[in-house]
Amino acid sequence: MTSVHGFCSDCGAVDVPLSALAVELANSQRGGSYTYTCPSCAGLVREHAGRHLAEVLVAFGAPVAGAPQAADSGTRAFDSAARVHFFAA
């Protein structure tokens, strides 16, 4: 399962399954954001994501917030045990 190495302001570094993210795509080139529930403290974490990062997360299989979940056909291009690291500057 693909996971994202995230950062919770209360818990520090956490690994979050990609399927636990909710990517919010903005209509502009400036980007969007992604949210997840911290697996340690259950707090909501929201991170800014540029348009490219948001599109990469979705390409890796992260769900888009508000979009109906399609049946998983098992044909994702990145269906491996990859770990994706994103660090905010």
Side-chain angles (χ1 to χ4, degrees), residues 36-67:
Y36 58 90
T37 301
C38 175
S40 296
C41 70
L44 182 66
V45 179
R46 178 181 300 276
E47 297 287 339
H48 173 75
R51 183 71 183 183
H52 180 74
L53 174 56
E55 289 175 354
V56 167
L57 289 170
V58 172
F60 269 80
V64 176

Side-chain angles (χ1 to χ4, degrees), residues 24-33 51 55:
E24 298 173 7
L25 298 172
N27 290 331
S28 70
Q29 291 295 85
R30 296 193 60 114
S33 63
R51 183 71 183 183
E55 289 175 354

Side-chain angles (χ1 to χ4, degrees):
M1 171 181 7
T2 303
S3 64
V4 173
H5 185 77
F7 186 83
C8 173
S9 60
D10 293 330
C11 303
V14 293
D15 287 325
V16 182
L18 196 60
S19 60
L21 298 179
V23 179
E24 298 173 7
L25 298 172
N27 290 331
S28 70
Q29 291 295 85
R30 296 193 60 114
S33 63
Y34 61 96
T35 59
Y36 58 90
T37 301
C38 175
S40 296
C41 70
L44 182 66
V45 179
R46 178 181 300 276
E47 297 287 339
H48 173 75
R51 183 71 183 183
H52 180 74
L53 174 56
E55 289 175 354
V56 167
L57 289 170
V58 172
F60 269 80
V64 176
Q69 295 295 328
D72 189 3
S73 64
T75 59
R76 278 187 222 163
F78 303 102
D79 195 15
S80 66
R83 178 169 287 176
V84 182
H85 297 273
F86 298 109
F87 297 97

